Amino acid sequence: MNWEEVYNHAKQWVKEAGETIRLSFDKTLNIQTKTNRNDLVTNMDKEIEQFFIKKIREVYPSHHIMGEEGFGDEFTTHEGVVWLIDPIDGTMNFIHQQRNFAISLGVYEDGIGKVGLIYDVVHDELYHAKRGGGAFLNDKPIPPLKEAKVEDSIIALNATWVMENHRIDHHLMIPLVRAARGTRSYGTAALEMVFVATGRVDAYLSMRLSPWDVAAGAVIVEELGGIVTNLRGEKLDFISQDSLFTAKPGLHQTILKEYLKNGKW
């Protein structure tokens, strides 16, 4: 597999998709719900996913595709080359704010991340990495991540997880929030992962995400020395839904050992 070619195609297609999204800003969206009234999808989510699928099928007909909107393949293994697509990660933000959303595109071979791209469309910021080749923000290399301490850290965490909920004992999260320098929540896993990659935040935790939410970000974060696991400290399989915990080195181990060890995820 010529991964440099795949990488270049992916960057080109992501930029083209971003331009299509920008041109939609002054148009009326067709907004629908999926699993609940807050799980939103628009005609633009569907159009962008279909755009990627068309491009991939034309150039790489033997590759598999997993997309959020369900236009890709159905499979339970990552054997071969798989493209994982979230056409608009942060759809609620896209609808309400026209910002704080991103295109997320990861390419894996036999379950190993090879290429990851996350495109902040509004700010024209493309975060991208090819395994073994470093990570970049547009054309500028992103420096490797340094270790951090909890008390010096900003942690990305949805406020839902520090109030009573059905996914986690919120009492486990409260000491971590108290110990950290601050918390943030952006409503898009893709951007929160690249904020870890760039040091804008030091860690990000979420209770339940899908493979297309995290596949691209995992390639970028790991390329910079960051750690990506679920809340049990296990590697993600990029097939099923799971929790997510990504952080700078050192910080990941500390939070896992001192704050998450008694959790049942």
Side-chain angles (χ1 to χ4, degrees):
M1 177 58 58
N2 184 339
W3 286 107
E4 189 65 26
E5 177 190 86
V6 171
Y7 190 30
N8 289 333
H9 274 133
K11 286 187 283 188
Q12 177 186 338
W13 296 339
V14 163
K15 282 298 193 80
E16 290 177 17
E19 181 61 20
T20 298
I21 293 173
R22 279 191 291 269
L23 291 173
S24 76
F25 283 168
D26 61 353
K27 299 177 182 177
T28 300
L29 293 172
N30 178 0
I31 303 168
Q32 299 175 326
T33 59
K34 293 191 284 189
T35 59
N36 61 67
R37 69 179 304 273
N38 295 322
D39 186 8
L40 304 175
V41 62
T42 71
N43 56 301
M44 190 53 52
D45 295 78
K46 298 176 182 179
E47 180 179 329
I48 296 301
E49 182 166 310
Q50 290 170 326
F51 163 82
F52 282 120
I53 290 173
K54 181 176 183 292
K55 293 291 188 181
I56 296 164
R57 298 280 193 230
E58 287 174 351
V59 181
Y60 304 109
S62 65
H63 291 187
H64 305 293
I65 301 169
M66 176 186 284
E68 179 177 15
E69 307 312 331
F71 297 109
D73 304 309
E74 291 186 10
F75 53 92
T76 57
T77 176
H78 276 326
E79 291 182 5
V81 179
V82 181
W83 295 65
L84 296 100
I85 306 166
D86 194 338
I88 299 179
D89 184 64
T91 299
M92 187 180 294
N93 293 347
F94 171 62
I95 293 168
H96 285 268
Q97 303 172 349
Q98 291 192 340
R99 64 191 67 237
N100 296 322
F101 67 89
I103 299 170
S104 180
L105 184 65
V107 190
Y108 280 58
E109 183 179 42
D110 297 330
I112 297 173
K114 297 292 187 177
V115 170
L117 302 99
I118 292 174
Y119 187 33
D120 182 341
V121 174
V122 173
H123 295 101
D124 192 26
E125 292 183 336
L126 177 59
Y127 305 83
H128 55 99
K130 179 166 68 73
R131 188 177 183 85
F136 300 82
L137 170 50
N138 292 333
D139 297 325
K140 185 178 180 180
I142 303 172
L145 291 169
K146 298 179 180 179
E147 293 194 3
K149 298 179 180 179
V150 174
E151 59 267 28
D152 298 326
S153 296
I154 295 177
I155 297 174
L157 177 73
N158 192 309
T160 304
W161 313 130
V162 290
M163 55 190 288
E164 189 171 354
N165 66 88
H166 68 283
R167 295 203 182 280
I168 182 176
D169 179 359
H170 63 289
H171 293 101
L172 289 171
M173 292 290 103
I174 291 173
L176 176 60
V177 170
R178 284 177 176 159
R181 174 165 284 169
T183 59
R184 299 291 184 271
S185 181
Y186 298 93
T188 158
L191 288 183
E192 286 171 298
M193 292 190 79
V194 294
F195 290 169
V196 172
T198 55
R200 296 176 188 175
V201 301
D202 301 286
Y204 169 49
L205 298 90
S206 186
M207 301 308 129
R208 188 167 180 255
L209 293 171
S210 295
W212 48 77
D213 294 315
V214 300
V219 176
I220 298 168
V221 171
E222 289 180 344
E223 190 62 25
L224 296 165
I227 314 299
V228 181
T229 68
N230 60 23
L231 290 172
R232 298 180 296 278
E234 303 164 344
K235 286 189 172 295
L236 305 178
D237 63 18
F238 300 103
I239 295 174
S240 55
Q241 289 185 330
D242 205 344
S243 58
L244 174 71
F245 175 33
T246 181
K248 290 179 174 179
L251 180 64
H252 186 281
Q253 294 90 327
T254 299
I255 292 175
L256 194 65
K257 180 180 178 181
E258 297 185 8
Y259 297 93
L260 303 180
K261 62 181 179 180
N262 295 320
K264 295 180 175 59
W265 322 109

